Every structure is written in structure tokens, then in C-alpha cells.
């Protein structure tokens, strides 16, 4: 998986750690769509946008129902830290 990059604005502010809770749909092909930022701590430093960008590159094994791939809703917490 792709790791999120701490946004420059957040790093410049001296932020050491940030957390974003994101919700998204994994479609029947395993691609991510309909990404929504649920919670962003701290706010206004671009973490939500960076989390969305990261999650949009992920791929999943789609959920199977009766042998058929189906779309499913997921939530994921993404942590940003300065290295």
C-alpha cells in the first residue's frame, strides 16, 4: 500500500502527528471510489486531502457474495507522522 505523505503545510507548522478517518467504497473491481473524510485531526493543514490522494491509489480484493464481487463500504484511519 501507498503510505501517506505529511503535507508540507502540516510539516512546516511543526506537526508531529495527525490522524484522518476516511470512508470509501471498494467497488466490484477492487478500486476505491466515493472517498469521504469523516474526521481530520488537526484540521486545516491538508491532511484530509493527502489521505484522499493516498487512499485513491489503493486496491483491494472486492467483497464476495455468492461467488460474485460486490461493492462494499469501508473505513480506515490514516496516521501521518514526521519521520
Amino acid at each position: 500500500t501507498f503510505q501517506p505523505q505529511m503535507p508540507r503545510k502540516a510539516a512546516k507548522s511543526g506537526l508531529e502527528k495527525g490522524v484522518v478517518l476516511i470512508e470509501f467504497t471498494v467497488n466490484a473491481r477492487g478500486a476505491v471510489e466515493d472517498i469521504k473524510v469523516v474526521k481530520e485531526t488537526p484540521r486545516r493543514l491538508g491532511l484530509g486531502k493527502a489521505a484522499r490522494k493516498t487512499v485513491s491509489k489503493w486496491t483491494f480484493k472486492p467483497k464476495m457474495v455468492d461467488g460474485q464481487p460486490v461493492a462494499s463500504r469501508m473505513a480506515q484511519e490514516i496516521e501521518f507522522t514526521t519521520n
Side-chain angles (χ1 to χ4, degrees):
T1 57
F2 293 88
Q3 284 305 309
Q5 196 80 45
M6 173 84 77
R8 186 173 292 143
K9 185 177 174 184
K12 271 184 163 166
S13 77
L15 183 70
E16 284 178 20
K17 187 181 165 189
V19 178
V20 175
L21 178 62
I22 210 153
E23 265 183 13
F24 53 91
T25 298
V26 174
N27 66 24
R29 293 185 316 281
V32 172
E33 53 187 33
D34 189 22
I35 303 166
K36 184 178 159 224
V37 174
V38 179
K39 198 172 146 204
E40 189 179 352
T41 313
R43 293 170 63 194
R44 291 187 282 285
L45 289 178
L47 298 180
K49 190 176 173 189
R52 283 173 101 116
K53 198 172 148 188
T54 299
V55 172
S56 70
K57 296 175 188 167
W58 290 355
T59 51
F60 290 83
K61 230 185 159 98
K63 182 178 176 182
M64 302 297 274
V65 175
D66 296 328
Q68 297 296 313
V70 295
S72 60
R73 198 79 181 142
M74 293 182 71
Q76 177 73 45
E77 200 170 75
I78 295 175
E79 203 172 279
F80 292 84
T81 53
T82 49
N83 302 1

